[in-house]
Amino acid sequence: MDEQELRSLFSAAPPDAPSPTFSRDDIVRESRRQTVRRRNRITTGVSAVALVVAGFGAYGVLSGGTPKSMTAADNAAPAQSGPGSAQPGDGSMRPEIGGESPNFPAQPPQQGGAGDGKTGQLAEGASGCEQVDGELAIALAGELPGHVAATRAVPGGACSTVSRSAGFPVPGGEVAAAVYPKGIPEVFKSQPAGTVTARVGTASGGVLVLVSVPSPGAAAPYAGQVDRFAQDLAPRF
């Protein structure tokens, strides 16, 4: 190979590689940028899936919470009653016209009654001299010495048409209490001689009257404790 051929070979060889147009910092920045993009795409995809799942869950709750009876009632067509069709309530469950139904009592029993339509001995919040207020009877029975059964209560001598009343026969006479509403004067029948009376304001703004009525020829029972009984009972009403 002569010199001319060598010169031709060298001239045909590719020139030196050009200097790079980027640096190491450029590569690092581009790598970070691609990482951030991938993370954003992943986050967006997860959020979309979560929204779809939540939407299906909400739809399931709303559609599943509808009572079947309501759906059936909405879809059912109203039945047309003809001249010969039976009316609702026909049969033994329908009250008889002009008589009593075998399924309903003629008169609902009043509170504290025995179910026969008559007024019972005890009735919560009862007023007047024909019924005994159950709450007051229980409270008064708890104040009296010894074992006093609330079922033995009577309206008592301190009652009126507007008061809640309860009393008990005790050895030597009777002890009775009445609670008058706020603004209502305490008016009740006159008591025998020797009766001990106490009046105390209640928590609701009314007045509690407690009387100890003696039997003929006897002293008023628990006369020295009447005020204490009234003071203990009044805050409860």
Side-chain angles (χ1 to χ4, degrees):
M1 179 178 296
D2 57 11
E3 184 178 354
Q4 184 64 32
E5 291 178 351
L6 288 175
R7 186 179 294 110
S8 298
L9 289 174
F10 279 114
S11 58
D16 294 337
S19 58
T21 59
F22 54 87
S23 63
R24 179 179 177 276
D25 293 338
D26 296 333
I27 296 175
V28 172
R29 283 195 295 270
E30 182 64 23
S31 176
R32 290 178 180 175
R33 188 180 298 110
Q34 295 297 330
T35 301
V36 171
R37 289 178 180 176
R38 284 196 298 271
R39 288 178 181 175
N40 290 339
R41 285 196 295 268
I42 293 173
T43 302
T44 302
V46 171
S47 300
V49 173
L51 288 175
V52 172
V53 172
F56 277 108
Y59 174 78
V61 170
L62 293 176
S63 61
T66 303
K68 294 181 179 179
S69 59
M70 292 178 61
T71 304
D74 292 339
N75 294 333
Q80 300 293 333
S81 58
S85 60
Q87 296 181 358
D90 284 346
S92 60
M93 294 301 294
R94 189 178 181 185
E96 298 178 2
I97 299 176
E100 298 181 358
S101 169
N103 301 291
F104 300 97
Q107 181 180 0
Q110 299 183 16
Q111 187 174 9
D116 55 0
K118 297 181 179 180
T119 301
Q121 185 180 10
L122 298 179
E124 295 295 335
S127 299
C129 294
E130 296 181 355
Q131 298 186 52
V132 176
D133 182 73
E135 182 183 4
L136 182 57
I138 294 173
L140 180 58
E143 294 294 329
L144 296 177
H147 178 71
V148 179
T151 54
R152 297 180 53 209
V154 295
C159 69
S160 74
T161 57
V162 295
S163 68
R164 300 168 58 180
S165 309
F168 292 94
V170 295
E174 177 190 82
V175 176
V179 176
Y180 289 81
K182 181 179 180 180
I184 302 298
E186 312 92 67
V187 179
F188 50 92
K189 63 183 180 180
S190 60
Q191 303 297 319
T195 297
V196 178
T197 305
R199 290 177 172 85
V200 180
T202 63
S204 61
V207 176
L208 180 139
V209 177
L210 193 143
V211 297
S212 174
V213 183
S215 299
Y222 313 120
Q225 304 179 59
V226 170
D227 287 335
R228 181 176 63 82
F229 293 160
Q231 294 287 344
D232 292 343
L233 290 173
R236 309 182 194 180
F237 300 91

